[in-house]
Amino acid sequence: MSFGGPAPPLIRTTPPDRGSFPLDHDGECKSVMARYLECLRTKNGSNKKCKHISKEYLGCRMERRLMDRDDWKNLGFQDEVGDTAKTKPKKDT
């Protein structure tokens, strides 16, 4: 494009469907995340075998207001139908 030519089209961005959430800068749920990643590594990337840790991680994030509370079924846990997530996360050390 040369100077003085037609302006490029504007790129319109849209927010994520479910909103944004803060990163875990303070590492409040880091130990749960590390266990999940280790589980994935040992199970050859099979997330089904590590789903219980994934649920614990999401519970930790919700408990610490790093994401909004939501129904477990909306988070991919179809076998856990209830009002909202109420799992108490283990305290990180």
Side-chain angles (χ1 to χ4, degrees), residues 23-76:
L23 298 175
D24 189 6
H25 291 291
D26 295 329
E28 297 178 72
C29 300
K30 187 175 182 177
S31 66
V32 182
M33 178 193 66
R35 282 189 309 136
Y36 178 69
L37 293 174
E38 178 64 19
C39 181
L40 287 177
R41 189 183 67 74
T42 59
K43 306 294 185 194
N44 296 320
S46 176
N47 64 338
K48 286 184 179 183
K49 295 177 181 176
C50 303
K51 197 168 184 177
H52 63 286
I53 303 173
S54 174
K55 183 178 178 182
E56 185 180 339
Y57 175 69
L58 292 173
C60 178
R61 289 189 59 86
M62 287 185 275
E63 192 68 28
R64 289 167 173 82
R65 297 178 167 225
L66 293 170
M67 65 183 280
D68 290 337
R69 288 199 174 274
D70 203 343
D71 290 342
W72 286 117
K73 66 179 180 163
N74 293 336
L75 298 173

